[in-house]
Amino acid sequence: MLKGFKDFLMRGNVVELAVAVVIGTAFTAIVTAFTNGLIKPLINTIGGSDAAKGLGFNILGGNDSTFLDFGSVINAAINFVIIAAVVYFILVLPMQKIQERRKRGQEEGPAEPTDVELLQEIRDLLKEQRVRDNA
């Protein structure tokens, strides 16, 4: 039972899905708080005439809805780089090392069913189908 679970986890598509979920949810709140609380104020200090608005400018003077906020774009880029680095070093790199070990034969890969196991499964399915048809 545990071997089957390990085989399931070690499939490539499961790991890729886990990476996508982690990038989308788990680290976003922490990294956003870090960049909004520490990085963005630093970026805002090098802003234009109104430091409260941050790094950017108004296209039309006096119209705040035309403000181009470069500080937020830089903040989002830093956010992405931090999240991608954490996911790479915590999930992707270790998985690559495990897959390399498998290729060298140091770690057993996912178990594939034998011919006998496949035939037994087919037999059991046929028996179940007959029971349902006769009922």
Side-chain angles (χ1 to χ4, degrees):
M1 184 169 150
L2 290 177
K3 182 166 178 16
F5 182 67
K6 178 185 171 191
D7 293 344
F8 170 74
L9 289 178
M10 300 313 285
R11 289 184 189 154
N13 56 354
V14 173
V15 173
E16 291 169 7
L17 178 61
V19 168
V21 169
V22 168
I23 285 178
T25 58
F27 293 113
T28 302
I30 295 169
V31 175
T32 300
F34 171 77
T35 54
N36 284 338
L38 300 175
I39 304 296
K40 191 168 185 178
L42 293 173
I43 293 170
N44 287 346
T45 60
I46 60 172
S49 59
D50 187 4
K53 287 185 175 180
L55 182 62
F57 62 90
N58 285 333
I59 296 175
L60 300 173
N63 187 351
D64 287 340
S65 66
T66 64
F67 183 73
L68 296 178
D69 189 3
F70 294 112
S72 291
V73 174
I74 294 169
N75 193 40
I78 291 170
N79 224 359
F80 174 77
V81 169
I82 292 171
I83 291 169
V86 167
V87 168
Y88 178 77
F89 289 112
I90 290 180
L91 291 174
V92 175
L93 199 59
M95 285 305 300
Q96 287 177 345
K97 294 209 183 273
I98 289 170
Q99 289 174 349
E100 286 175 11
R101 281 191 219 147
R102 280 188 178 168
K103 287 180 184 173
R104 291 190 306 238
Q106 293 178 354
E107 188 169 322
E108 192 176 303
E112 294 189 21
T114 64
D115 292 341
V116 173
E117 291 171 334
L118 289 174
L119 289 171
Q120 287 173 343
E121 187 176 332
I122 292 169
R123 179 198 63 200
D124 295 341
L125 290 171
L126 288 171
K127 280 183 184 178
E128 287 177 22
Q129 186 177 12
R130 279 189 211 136
V131 169
R132 275 186 270 137
D133 290 343
N134 291 334

